Amino acid sequence: MPVDRKTLIGKVLRTARYRVSVEDVQDFVSVMPKSSEATEEAPEVAPPTFAPLVAVLGLLRTFDWSTDFQFDYRDGTAMFGEQFIDFHRPLYVDEEVEINAMINDVYEKSGRQKFDVVQLAFEIKGDRDGQLVMTGKQSYILFK
Amino acid sequence: MTIAPNKPYFEDLTVGMALPTVKYGPMDRFDYIPIALILRDTNPLHLDRVYAQERGLPDTVQQGPLNQAYLYEFFTNWLHKPWDLASTEIRFAANVFPEDILHCGGEIEGLEIGEEYDIVHCRLWQKNDEGVNILTGKASGRLPKPPK
């Protein structure tokens, strides 16, 4: 029976947390072509190049593919869709960020295959000052 | 097409100018290990060449956020300070594989004058050596006021 994911619109997902650890930032900087200017100037500031990883891994902790998206990851294919981010302030090393998200849109599209686009609206706050670090939207493409 | 200078001020830019293109790579499969650890995502598609080839792919797939990080590196290096980054809109169009070269570029689409700082809006792209779009999208950055 086909899944109707439009009923998921408005669903608030669970709050997730992630600590921007020194180790994760150092591992990341070691992969990038040169040490980030942000890190050189102020070692307590994570480079903005690290921000998409925080958004991606933070959001993945806010939902369960099966219970929240009605998607079986074992025999289905999922991909990242579009991502929109507004940056409100720098991300600091060793701060813990809190990620809150909700499903704000679901729609079906057809290419070679039919797929659903599930779009999350999210906000990420840092515990350094309780202020917003990033807000945005992230889509996931779930093939049928 | 005129090339925009690096670390520009509002006065240096006009709509339609190209951002100076930057080339990164070749991509290294061993970089996927720390990224997998940071993302806590050990999907074998990113780490196991045989697993990826059994699924019809030429090699392991570089993680999307790493592709994105290179495009951010390109854009934020062009700005005065990395955290002058204001917003991004990114669409994931194709996969990156080990040994790929990533070419990043863009074009200025809009300029806004502000009180504290000015804003530049750009269209961005990341392509591989074959010219295939990996990422497409937009980014906006803050431009400091020039020193008086």
Side-chain angles (χ1 to χ4, degrees), chain A residues 3 7 15 17 23 31 35 45 57 62 64 69 75 77 82 88 91 104 107 111-114 116 125 134 136:
Chain A
V3 177
T7 59
T15 297
R17 288 185 173 77
E23 292 81 5
V31 165
S35 63
V45 178
L57 77 89
T62 65
D64 177 86
F69 288 178
D75 57 17
T77 302
E82 289 180 319
H88 300 277
L91 186 65
N104 81 317
Y107 52 93
R112 279 185 212 159
Q113 254 180 288
K114 276 189 179 174
D116 279 338
K125 285 182 181 171
M134 295 178 246

Side-chain angles (χ1 to χ4, degrees), chain A residues 64-83:
Chain A
D64 177 86
W65 293 96
S66 172
T67 57
D68 293 312
F69 288 178
Q70 300 170 16
F71 179 75
D72 188 345
Y73 203 77
R74 290 167 301 181
D75 57 17
T77 302
M79 289 171 56
F80 289 116
E82 289 180 319
Q83 183 197 67

Side-chain angles (χ1 to χ4, degrees), chain A residues 6-67:
Chain A
K6 283 192 183 298
T7 59
L8 301 175
I9 295 173
K11 183 173 188 175
V12 176
L13 303 171
R14 60 176 169 262
T15 297
R17 288 185 173 77
Y18 166 71
R19 182 160 297 281
V20 183
S21 71
V22 176
E23 292 81 5
D24 280 357
V25 174
Q26 283 176 344
D27 284 350
F28 173 75
V29 167
S30 74
V31 165
M32 294 307 288
K34 65 177 187 65
S35 63
S36 160
E37 288 177 36
T39 312
E40 284 168 11
E41 283 175 13
E44 76 276 15
V45 178
T49 46
F50 190 67
L53 279 81
V54 172
V56 166
L57 77 89
L59 282 170
L60 287 173
R61 292 177 182 188
T62 65
F63 64 85
D64 177 86
W65 293 96
S66 172
T67 57

Side-chain angles (χ1 to χ4, degrees), chain A residues 103-126:
Chain A
I103 299 174
N104 81 317
D105 200 8
V106 176
Y107 52 93
E108 188 183 71
K109 286 189 86 171
S110 293
R112 279 185 212 159
Q113 254 180 288
K114 276 189 179 174
F115 56 91
D116 279 338
V117 178
V118 177
Q119 187 183 64
L120 306 188
F122 66 89
E123 59 174 44
I124 300 178
K125 285 182 181 171

Side-chain angles (χ1 to χ4, degrees), chain B residues 5 8-9 12-13 16 18 26 34 38-39 52 54 56 69 95 97 109 113-114 117 129 131 134 137 140:
Chain B
Y9 295 104
D12 303 324
L13 303 175
I38 295 165
L39 293 172
E54 284 171 354
N95 288 320
F97 300 99
E109 283 197 324
I113 295 178
Y117 48 80
D129 263 343
I134 304 296
S140 298

Side-chain angles (χ1 to χ4, degrees), chain A residues 24 46 81 83-87, chain B residues 40 68 83 86-88 90 92:
Chain A
D24 280 357
Q83 183 197 67
F84 304 83
I85 302 181
D86 287 323
F87 297 91
Chain B
R40 279 72 170 172
Q68 215 178 334
W83 280 101
S87 66
T88 54
I90 301 292
F92 296 83

